[in-house]
Amino acid sequence: MESNILVESSGMPSSTNRIQVVFKRELPKKPANTLAASISATAPSELLSLFDELEGLVGLQEAKKTIYEIYALLKINKEREKHHLKQEKQVFHMVFKGNPGTGKTTVARLFGKMFREMGILSKGHLIEVERADLVGEFIGHTAQKTRDLVKKALGGILFIDEAYSLARGGEKDFGKEAVDCLTKALEDSNKDFICIIAGYNEEMENFLDLNPGLPSRFPVHITFDDYSVDELLEIANIMARNKDFEITKDGLDKIKRTVSGIVSDPFQMNFSNARFIRNCIEKAIRVQAVRLIKANEFGRDDLVKLKPEDFSI
């Protein structure tokens, strides 16, 4: 199975640097009657390549279904135009709801490229921001910062991570000013601009209640489910393989026991999904290095294998 991992740095002005990890796997053969196959049969080559990239990501079924629906709508609109029928015009501002490490930023970046190929956006770039990038320190500063970021995102996607943090601080907090300014921008710039707000499920629902105009301006909601134990094991194998490592069966069993215990714990909050697996792999590689030096074992098989004792989880 051929697979790879792309690691990307955010590049946005922020107090923290984010690393986006994209997990790719060999594409399964799709029956001819699946939605993906039907869409792929009509898509131009550049867009088809992006669809294949999306299909190669682990999980993300709702995101995949949504982008296919949008493409189908655009395709049918062109057919309706030939017959002088009214076309269905829609706004594609979105809410991404889910726990950390479930692929929200990765999908947002890929959606930008897809929307460019579909003709919805002229550039398709992603501007990723958080509260600190939008909220100013004095009256009027927040509105200017928000307008500047919207302007920078024109032609692409403005991705607001942990958007519900704008609602913190009460009525006198400048976060509300950012929301009000953003609400107006969504109406004024919706022809070549898409805004995606992201965060935890419940917090995002509460955030949308902050401004009466917000819910109607974000018609597309996508839930990013937590990865299953089997999907997380698949991600672990992909991550190791693309670093030229191999997790032994006993090593995988240890990861499985740990992850199964976490996901079945009713008191576990905010499990970081793929990020947890990434951290486990990276730590295991460090532990393996120490183990090999102590044992003076430097054969190829020694260097490749990640054993149970390497996973301190």
Side-chain angles (χ1 to χ4, degrees):
M1 181 187 297
E2 180 181 355
S3 38
N4 57 70
I5 294 180
L6 305 177
V7 180
E8 303 171 334
S9 181
S10 170
M12 276 302 301
S14 175
S15 58
T16 58
N17 292 322
R18 295 188 181 87
I19 294 177
Q20 304 303 332
V21 182
V22 183
F23 303 96
K24 292 188 174 183
R25 58 182 174 181
E26 182 181 357
L27 296 180
K29 293 183 178 180
K30 301 183 287 287
N33 62 344
T34 65
L35 174 60
S38 299
I39 294 298
S40 297
T42 64
S45 59
E46 289 297 324
L47 187 56
L48 178 58
S49 176
L50 293 170
F51 282 150
D52 286 343
E53 185 175 346
L54 180 64
E55 280 295 324
L57 301 180
V58 177
L60 307 174
Q61 297 308 315
E62 189 170 338
K64 293 172 183 177
K65 180 174 179 288
T66 299
I67 198 67
Y68 290 141
E69 289 173 348
I70 291 173
Y71 173 74
L73 173 66
L74 297 175
K75 185 73 176 176
I76 291 302
N77 272 347
K78 290 182 180 179
E79 297 300 321
R80 290 177 63 86
E81 185 179 15
K82 295 177 183 178
H83 296 280
H84 307 289
L85 296 170
K86 291 182 180 179
Q87 299 176 48
E88 177 64 24
K89 301 293 183 181
Q90 293 192 5
V91 174
F92 298 118
H93 300 307
M94 302 181 177
V95 179
F96 283 6
K97 297 179 289 186
N99 287 325
T102 50
K104 297 186 292 295
T105 306
T106 295
V107 168
R109 183 173 288 110
L110 195 51
F111 273 15
K113 297 175 183 178
M114 290 178 170
F115 287 145
R116 180 193 62 214
E117 295 302 323
M118 293 180 191
I120 296 173
L121 297 173
S122 59
K123 299 177 182 177
H125 62 297
L126 183 80
I127 301 297
E128 184 182 352
V129 302
E130 56 185 18
R131 177 188 165 90
D133 303 309
L134 294 165
V135 178
E137 300 176 356
F138 50 85
I139 296 174
H141 190 206
T142 294
Q144 185 59 51
K145 290 181 73 173
T146 303
R147 284 194 294 267
D148 288 346
L149 285 169
V150 169
K151 185 177 180 180
K152 190 174 182 180
L154 287 178
I157 292 175
L158 179 66
F159 181 83
I160 306 177
D161 196 18
E162 298 183 357
Y164 50 81
S165 64
L166 294 172
R168 294 172 179 167
E171 285 293 321
K172 296 182 179 180
D173 184 75
F174 289 137
K176 186 175 184 301
E177 184 181 354
V179 173
D180 293 340
C181 184
L182 179 64
T183 303
K184 186 176 186 303
L186 295 178
E187 190 66 29
D188 297 342
S189 309
N190 60 9
K191 292 184 179 179
D192 193 18
F193 165 69
I194 289 175
C195 181
I196 298 177
I197 55 176
Y200 300 117
N201 287 300
E202 185 175 350
E203 283 86 344
M204 290 308 299
E205 293 295 337
N206 293 334
F207 171 72
L208 291 172
D209 293 334
L210 184 65
N211 184 301
L214 274 178
S216 62
R217 286 171 170 80
F218 289 93
V220 181
H221 289 221
I222 300 178
T223 298
F224 287 72
D225 294 326
D226 289 337
Y227 290 108
S228 68
V229 172
D230 287 342
E231 286 173 333
L232 289 171
L233 291 176
E234 182 179 2
I235 288 171
N237 273 323
I238 290 172
M239 289 188 66
R241 192 160 46 244
N242 284 278
K243 294 176 181 287
D244 282 336
F245 287 93
E246 178 185 339
I247 306 173
T248 65
K249 182 181 182 303
D250 289 342
L252 280 173
D253 287 341
K254 187 172 184 180
I255 296 174
K256 184 174 183 179
R257 288 194 300 271
T258 300
V259 172
S260 297
I262 292 173
V263 300
S264 62
D265 183 356
F267 300 104
Q268 173 66 38
M269 300 292 290
N270 304 332
F271 174 54
S272 60
N273 286 275
R275 294 180 194 172
F276 176 85
I277 296 298
R278 181 190 69 199
N279 292 338
C280 286
I281 296 294
E282 291 178 352
K283 185 174 182 180
I285 291 172
R286 297 195 300 269
V287 173
Q288 185 230 39
V290 173
R291 172 172 61 80
L292 294 180
I293 287 177
K294 287 182 176 179
N296 196 33
E297 296 174 340
F298 307 115
R300 189 182 189 283
D301 198 52
D302 300 317
L303 296 170
V304 168
K305 300 290 186 183
L306 292 176
K307 299 182 177 180
E309 55 265 38
D310 299 324
F311 292 94
S312 53
I313 52 178

